[in-house]
Amino acid sequence: MNENILGIIAGFLTSVSMIPQLVKVIREKNVEDISLLMLLVLISGLSLWVWYGFVKDELPIILSNSFAVLVNISLLICYVMYNKKK
């Protein structure tokens, strides 16, 4: 199997992994079980992967992690909007 195809498949699966959580949060407008620290660490790590992808000129790394950053930033926005611990 071509290593780029493997990278694209792996990146796709990890990138879409948070979509069910995002959908649930949007439907229920409830973020009580979401860890803000986890989101911040995850977004930071994914952003570093994007940077690494640019340094190495690896399109699968850039695309999959950029998408994952967007999904998790969306979740972070929902966290801020729906957090009732104010």
Side-chain angles (χ1 to χ4, degrees):
M1 175 180 276
N2 181 318
E3 64 187 31
N4 281 336
I5 293 173
L6 181 63
I8 290 168
I9 293 169
F12 173 79
L13 292 174
T14 56
S15 295
V16 300
S17 67
M18 290 298 281
I19 290 177
Q21 184 68 56
L22 179 60
V23 169
K24 181 178 185 223
V25 165
I26 291 170
R27 281 188 183 151
E28 297 176 4
K29 295 180 177 31
N30 182 354
V31 293
E32 289 179 26
D33 295 330
I34 304 292
S35 167
L36 177 60
L37 181 59
M38 180 273 306
L39 273 177
L40 295 174
V41 170
L42 183 57
I43 291 167
S44 299
L46 290 167
S47 298
L48 290 173
W49 272 113
V50 172
W51 184 8
Y52 176 80
F54 276 108
V55 169
K56 293 292 189 176
D57 196 29
E58 292 288 339
L59 192 58
I61 293 173
I62 296 166
L63 293 179
S64 62
N65 288 291
S66 294
F67 180 75
V69 167
L70 292 176
V71 170
N72 285 287
I73 286 176
S74 299
L75 191 54
L76 180 62
I77 290 168
C78 288
Y79 184 92
V80 171
M81 288 174 42
Y82 303 138
N83 187 12
K84 295 176 183 167
K85 297 178 185 175
K86 294 182 179 176

